[in-house]
Amino acid sequence: MKKLFLIPLLLLVISVMNAQPAIDYYLPAGTQYDLSVPTPQSYFGFVPGTFHLSYDKLASYMETLASKADRVSLIRTGVSHEGNPMMMLVITSPANQQNLEKLRVDHLCNLDPASSPTAIRRDPLVVWLGYSVHGNEPSGGNAAPLVAYYLAASQSEEVRKMLDQTIVLIDFCLNPDGFNRFASWVNSRKSLVNNPDVNSVEFSEPWPGSRGNHYWFDLNRDWLWMQHPETEARIEQFHRWKPHILTDHHEMGSNSTFFFQPGVNSRSNPLVPPANFALTQKIGTYHAKELDAIGSLYFTEEMFDDYYFGKGSAYPDLNGSIGILFEQASSRGHLRRTEYGVLSFPYTIRNQVITSLSTLKASQDLNRELKYNQIDFYKSALAESSRFALKGYLFGDQHDPYRADLMAGLLMKHQVRLQRIKKPAFINGIHYLPESSWYVPLNQLQFRLIRTLFEEVTQFADSTFYDVSTWTLPYAMGLSFAGIDDKNLARISPEGFVNTIPPIASSMTGDQSQVGYLFTCDPYHLHKALYDLLTQGIRVNVATEPFAAQVNRQSRRFMQGTLFVPVQFQPVDGKTLYRQLGEWAKKYGIDISAVNSAYTVEGPDLGSGSFTQIAMPKVLCLTGEGLASREIGQIWHLLDVKFYIPVTLADVNRADQLNLGDYNTLILVSGSYAQLGTAFSDQLKSWVRNGGKIIALRSAAGFLNREGLMTLKSVRKESSGDNPAITPWADRNNDRIGSSLPGTIFATRLDTTHPLAFGYHQPILSVFRTGSQFYEPSPTAWENVAVYTDQPLISGYVSRKDLKTMAGTSAIQRQKSGRGAVIYFADDPVFRGYWTGQHKMMLNAIFWGNL
Ligand SMILES: [Zn+2]
């Protein structure tokens, strides 16, 4: 009896600590529901907010909704890196569901000023609700099933009417892999009695956290670049539906309240028509009203902005939609003490549910305005383009059609229309060839998107940036480009529009040789192909000098960096080698030239010491607490996904147990490396002397200097002439957010004869810089691979002081050390994955960085 009495008492105590809200806590009270639609509680076995939903549970509930409710259908959009199927719910009236494809096509038709609008007033609105792009910001993804259930099952007249007029797309989790990682962590540290103590391990997820996706990328910076399947799938759906509104539900630091856009007007990107801000503001009044009704505090016109179009709330603005960012103070775990009081996970979910529904309410009332906003967006784009000084942009690389095709492919995914050119052209000192160039006319619907990807920007109304200040794509991809006016348009004579990019054909010049085969290192993906060849056991040499050789009885010039496969001393006979190389060339689209004599017309002969054998790369990258996870993820993604080269990510805290002899390349990303002991540093020094090579990025300079592995001397900062004593107090918030170098493109002078620059033909290399630590160039000859030019600014914001300081400083250095080498990149050569212009430099460093 005693026991029976105690148990309910205990449960009572626990239930107070862990009060679980009923469904009415989240959703409009008094709603009648269709009982045939399963509630989230009946499906999960708990009310959302009790535990964190794993992606699997979330996705399977959404699938069930689609199978049980006639208002709901489901689109499979892609598969994440970790094999999680990605999907989106479509919720609308059963009648609209029957007619969905026609409604979608009509909607797209109405946006094109060239087609005659059919029934704009009757066509449904498209509202896209997007949740939790950052894995450790879970309130959005946990709100999604509640919103979906309400829309699928509510019997209210208001919801019925809304679904007659609206197609609601629920992108219920934008980052399945990160979301799963976080749920798994936080559920596994949850106590029965929720404990708000911030010292609890529940709130300190281990490095690298789960904000990013599988490769630790921030998917909310990837909307323009589509480096990941998650974003690629999303952009495809975005353009299939072109929503009138797209919401982006995030979380921010715990000691805050709730934020919804419009954000800071002075920091809106000037390419977006002002009507967008005004409409976002109007929609904001609906969020304000609903949050006021429950006494939830918020702020709206500070901190966040819509400048960088790679973010989920800004990309829609550049595409005729209204993108809206929501930021909820995070409980991180289940219950957390904050400066504003004890914040529960359900509370954070409720704010996301409420603002999802207030968005839908606003869309009803502003139906007409939203439709004409989108139609006007495209109409005005065409009108502006016809008045614009330029007709279009030409881009390409006469030595590497692959990188040009990569960029063309990316533009096509953004619905940009491209053309090939008929004639070769010589513009601003650059040759553009028809087979390796593309023309982008500006007179098209994506006029504004094209501008943002091609224009250099150096004038800013506001010098505070939430993210980077520029992203001019041809510089990132190392491609030449030119604005085309009427006169040049006649010279290039563009051909019809191209919708797909055919694979580039390979060629074999000459027959089977008894001497060997040559190919250049120009193609973007050369090192991927090369690694494949090395794994087949084929011996490959790299030329360190230019030369000319007889190919098919004609003399042909080859640059330094040309690859040579001798016939002798290979694991296969000459005939097999010829066949194998032919197949390999076809697979990768490589042009091969057979040579029949080792005697060259000019420069070193093929048996000279200027042809050095390439060792199979064995790459180690230190990883772990205190190191820049973003940079590690980028390198991992670059090698693993783009180049198909294995890289060992080893924990920096266990470095003492490593045998460096198993590797020939060590990558050190930004970080202090204070945890490395003397045993490791002794091993490291002797490993480098014996031929090992270190590739170090950015703030790893401190470690190199400390260990005497490289000498990098800091440059003393120039004075700006501004007096900090009179910096207004009122500007302090902007100063906190802003950086004097928020992410800006600069020109460096490149030594194109250096082994790290093999395959580079232009003397100017553009680099992307965040942060203002500068180093002097090496005083030793041949050690400076790239140095900032005297007037380095290409695009983006930089303070006068930093611009003055950086001229002539070091960008890339290589110092020999015994038989090994240390290579230092002052800037991130793999920035956000899309900075492809420097990938070859990174791969050169890995394959022959200690030549
Ligand atoms: Zn976020």
Side-chain angles (χ1 to χ4, degrees):
M1 278 306 285
K2 226 174 181 183
K3 261 185 185 168
L4 281 175
F5 176 69
L6 271 176
I7 290 166
L9 187 68
L10 189 66
L11 282 176
L12 185 72
V13 172
I14 290 168
S15 69
V16 170
M17 288 298 288
N18 295 348
Q20 288 315 322
I23 202 102
D24 281 359
Y25 172 72
Y26 297 110
L27 297 173
T31 307
Q32 298 291 317
Y33 292 99
D34 175 350
L35 296 177
S36 69
V37 178
T39 64
Q41 183 176 7
S42 68
Y43 193 83
F44 299 128
F46 54 83
V47 181
T50 314
F51 295 96
H52 283 62
L53 291 174
S54 67
Y55 182 74
D56 315 60
K57 280 189 182 145
L58 176 57
S60 95
Y61 176 67
M62 295 308 201
E63 281 179 303
T64 305
L65 271 191
S67 71
K68 302 267 184 196
D70 56 1
R71 295 174 184 170
V72 186
S73 60
L74 183 138
I75 310 170
R76 290 182 186 278
T77 61
V79 179
S80 75
H81 283 296
E82 292 177 16
N84 283 308
M86 292 184 295
M87 21 182 141
M88 194 160 75
L89 282 194
V90 185
I91 309 186
T92 187
S93 69
N96 286 344
Q97 285 288 359
Q98 296 303 316
N99 206 16
L100 203 55
E101 185 56 14
K102 184 178 180 306
L103 293 171
R104 185 185 74 78
V105 172
D106 284 352
H107 161 56
L108 294 189
C109 248
N110 288 337
L111 297 182
D112 186 352
S115 70
S116 47
T118 49
I120 292 169
R121 229 177 299 160
R122 271 183 291 120
D123 275 352
L125 275 175
V126 183
V127 180
W128 175 312
L129 306 174
Y131 301 98
S132 295
V133 69
H134 294 135
N136 61 353
E137 299 175 5
S139 54
N142 283 271
L146 291 158
V147 174
Y149 169 70
Y150 178 71
L151 298 180
S154 165
Q155 297 300 297
S156 84
E157 200 40 46
E158 194 189 336
V159 170
R160 268 182 215 280
K161 200 173 147 217
M162 191 269 291
L163 291 178
D164 275 341
Q165 298 170 2
T166 316
I167 297 171
V168 184
L169 305 172
I170 301 195
D171 191 358
F172 52 84
C173 179
L174 280 75
N175 175 10
D177 301 349
F179 190 81
N180 245 357
R181 212 152 70 231
F182 186 71
S184 168
W185 165 262
V186 79
N187 285 335
S188 62
R189 297 297 182 282
K190 182 189 185 306
S191 302
L192 183 61
V193 182
N194 282 328
N195 183 350
D197 186 348
V198 293
N199 295 318
S200 165
V201 69
E202 185 180 342
F203 306 115
S204 42
E205 197 193 1
W207 188 96
S210 47
R211 175 183 174 85
N213 71 343
H214 176 77
Y215 289 98
W216 313 342
F217 274 64
D218 186 337
L219 289 178
N220 197 38
R221 302 295 182 269
D222 194 43
W223 285 60
L224 282 174
W225 319 125
M226 289 182 250
Q227 294 296 301
H228 298 279
E230 296 91 334
T231 324
E232 209 179 333
R234 186 148 297 117
I235 299 296
E236 189 191 339
Q237 291 304 324
F238 179 90
H239 289 292
R240 272 179 65 77
W241 291 99
K242 295 206 195 291
H244 295 91
I245 300 180
L246 184 148
T247 65
D248 188 20
H249 296 261
H250 287 250
E251 289 184 6
M252 56 186 161
S254 300
N255 292 317
S256 189
T257 57
F258 188 83
F259 167 85
F260 53 85
Q261 270 180 331
V264 186
N265 197 10
S266 63
R267 285 164 24 202
S268 294
N269 196 302
L271 282 175
V272 175
N276 183 296
F277 189 90
L279 206 38
T280 313
Q281 216 166 17
K282 237 181 201 175
I283 297 169
T285 61
Y286 289 79
H287 313 316
K289 190 175 161 210
E290 297 301 324
L291 291 169
D292 284 343
I294 56 163
S296 195
L297 299 178
Y298 52 82
F299 60 99
T300 70
E301 290 183 15
E302 50 193 290
M303 204 152 140
F304 300 98
D305 68 38
D306 267 345
Y307 188 79
Y308 169 56
F309 290 125
K311 294 192 303 160
S313 62
Y315 183 84
D317 297 345
L318 183 65
N319 286 277
S321 306
I322 305 285
I324 307 174
L325 171 70
F326 296 97
E327 295 274 357
Q328 164 64 49
S330 184
S331 66
R332 286 301 174 235
H334 296 83
L335 194 70
R336 182 186 175 112
R337 190 162 289 127
T338 76
E339 287 171 10
Y340 287 81
V342 177
L343 181 62
S344 75
F345 184 39
Y347 184 88
T348 66
I349 295 173
R350 182 170 64 157
N351 283 340
Q352 306 280 21
V353 172
I354 279 175
T355 47
S356 301
L357 299 183
S358 60
T359 302
L360 291 171
K361 172 92 178 78
S363 75
Q364 292 316 286
D365 292 356
L366 304 171
N367 182 308
R368 205 182 138 78
E369 266 180 84
L370 285 163
K371 282 177 180 166
Y372 281 98
N373 173 67
Q374 202 175 33
I375 288 167
D376 289 346
F377 178 89
Y378 289 110
K379 225 190 234 171
S380 63
L382 285 185
E384 279 174 38
S385 76
S386 62
R387 297 191 297 268
F388 202 62
L390 294 173
K391 291 289 160 208
Y393 287 100
L394 179 66
F395 68 90
D397 185 327
Q398 57 167 319
H399 302 282
D400 179 16
Y402 291 91
R403 233 169 334 108
D405 283 2
L406 266 186
M407 176 155 155
L410 182 61
L411 291 172
M412 283 178 191
K413 288 176 193 163
H414 287 297
Q415 307 279 297
V416 172
R417 305 187 75 201
L418 294 103
Q419 292 165 283
R420 288 291 200 183
I421 57 171
K422 259 196 205 109
K423 296 183 243 168
F426 186 70
I427 298 169
N428 304 338
I430 303 285
H431 285 284
Y432 293 91
L433 306 179
E435 62 274 20
S436 56
S437 305
W438 292 89
Y439 176 65
V440 188
L442 275 160
N443 185 230
Q444 57 174 305
L445 294 177
Q446 289 298 55
F447 168 70
R448 296 188 177 103
L449 186 134
I450 298 165
R451 282 188 62 189
T452 202
L453 293 179
F454 280 88
E455 286 180 356
E456 298 105 345
V457 188
T458 49
Q459 301 292 325
F460 299 92
D462 189 324
S463 60
T464 304
F465 302 87
Y466 183 74
D467 199 76
V468 299
S469 68
T470 186
W471 45 87
T472 322
L473 189 55
Y475 292 114
M477 300 194 72
L479 291 162
S480 301
F481 75 112
I484 299 295
D485 54 15
D486 277 318
K487 191 179 88 215
N488 280 330
L489 190 60
R491 282 166 60 193
I492 60 171
S493 47
E495 296 185 304
F497 288 102
V498 180
N499 296 321
T500 51
I501 300 169
I504 293 171
S506 65
S507 68
M508 172 73 87
T509 310
D511 299 325
Q512 186 189 324
S513 164
Q514 74 288 2
V515 174
Y517 304 89
L518 297 168
F519 49 92
T520 77
C521 74
D522 292 341
Y524 167 73
H525 59 299
L526 185 271
H527 296 83
K528 178 180 183 180
L530 187 55
Y531 188 82
D532 184 3
L533 210 52
L534 295 177
T535 54
Q536 293 176 42
I538 306 294
R539 198 156 61 87
V540 188
N541 298 326
V542 59
T544 54
E545 309 286 334
F547 63 99
Q550 286 276 356
V551 177
N552 247 0
R553 289 180 295 282
Q554 280 183 350
S555 170
R556 247 193 78 185
R557 289 196 58 78
F558 290 92
M559 298 292 288
Q560 59 273 15
T562 296
L563 287 313
F564 173 53
V565 178
V567 173
Q568 253 190 13
F569 305 122
Q570 295 288 5
V572 291
D573 61 34
K575 194 174 162 197
T576 313
L577 181 68
Y578 179 64
R579 184 180 49 76
Q580 226 167 298
L581 279 179
E583 286 165 7
W584 171 83
K586 206 179 253 173
K587 180 174 169 190
Y588 292 103
I590 305 272
D591 294 331
I592 299 186
S593 302
V595 274
N596 285 312
S597 173
Y599 188 79
T600 58
V601 184
E602 207 183 302
D605 296 318
L606 301 185
S608 145
S610 297
F611 289 82
T612 308
Q613 188 175 340
I614 300 167
M616 172 74 97
K618 292 177 204 149
V619 187
L620 172 70
C621 178
L622 289 185
T623 167
E625 190 76 49
L627 306 184
S629 62
R630 185 178 57 79
E631 290 177 15
I632 298 169
Q634 288 172 178
I635 292 198
W636 181 18
H637 180 253
L638 174 81
L639 296 180
D640 194 31
V641 176
K642 291 193 151 105
F643 286 84
Y644 223 60
I645 296 170
V647 49
T648 302
L649 304 180
D651 191 339
V652 66
N653 292 305
R654 303 180 66 190
D656 282 351
Q657 294 164 35
L658 290 166
N659 175 15
L660 287 177
D662 294 340
Y663 310 93
N664 54 23
T665 305
L666 170 65
I667 299 179
L668 301 175
V669 302
S670 296
S672 74
Y673 296 91
Q675 58 275 72
L676 290 174
T678 48
F680 180 79
S681 81
D682 290 347
Q683 191 194 169
L684 183 60
K685 284 172 203 161
S686 96
W687 174 78
V688 172
R689 275 196 305 276
N690 289 311
K693 116 179 71 77
I694 297 175
I695 300 171
L697 310 187
R698 294 160 39 94
S699 76
F703 173 72
L704 299 182
N705 273 331
R706 201 168 67 231
E707 296 296 326
L709 288 157
M710 193 181 220
T711 312
L712 287 158
K713 245 177 109 182
S714 286
V715 174
R716 219 170 51 86
K717 293 231 166 80
E718 296 282 340
S719 162
S720 65
D722 298 337
N723 184 355
I726 52 166
T727 305
W729 166 258
D731 289 348
R732 71 202 183 283
N733 283 332
N734 284 349
D735 286 351
R736 254 205 324 258
I737 299 164
S739 141
S740 59
L741 248 168
T744 305
I745 303 173
F746 295 102
T748 66
R749 212 170 43 250
L750 179 67
D751 172 7
T752 54
T753 68
H754 196 283
L756 291 189
F758 286 171
Y760 287 82
H761 299 263
Q762 300 296 334
I764 297 293
L765 176 77
S766 39
V767 298
F768 191 83
R769 171 165 282 259
T770 53
S772 52
Q773 179 67 49
F774 305 105
Y775 294 100
E776 289 180 5
S778 166
T780 312
W782 312 306
E783 288 191 344
N784 294 303
V785 185
V787 172
Y788 275 73
T789 64
D790 293 338
Q791 309 230 306
L793 179 62
I794 292 178
S795 184
Y797 175 77
V798 58
S799 69
R800 273 175 304 176
K801 182 172 77 176
D802 280 338
L803 187 59
K804 248 164 111 181
T805 309
M806 71 170 63
T809 61
S810 178
I812 305 168
Q813 283 191 43
R814 188 195 67 160
Q815 295 182 11
K816 282 293 281 178
S817 173
R819 290 195 290 126
V822 183
I823 296 153
Y824 175 68
F825 288 87
D827 301 300
D828 182 351
V830 201
F831 184 68
R832 291 184 180 167
Y834 79 99
W835 199 266
T836 40
Q838 260 168 285
H839 289 178
K840 190 181 288 296
M841 190 82 65
M842 192 71 194
L843 272 300
N844 283 348
I846 290 170
F847 277 72
W848 49 73
N850 58 352
L851 273 183

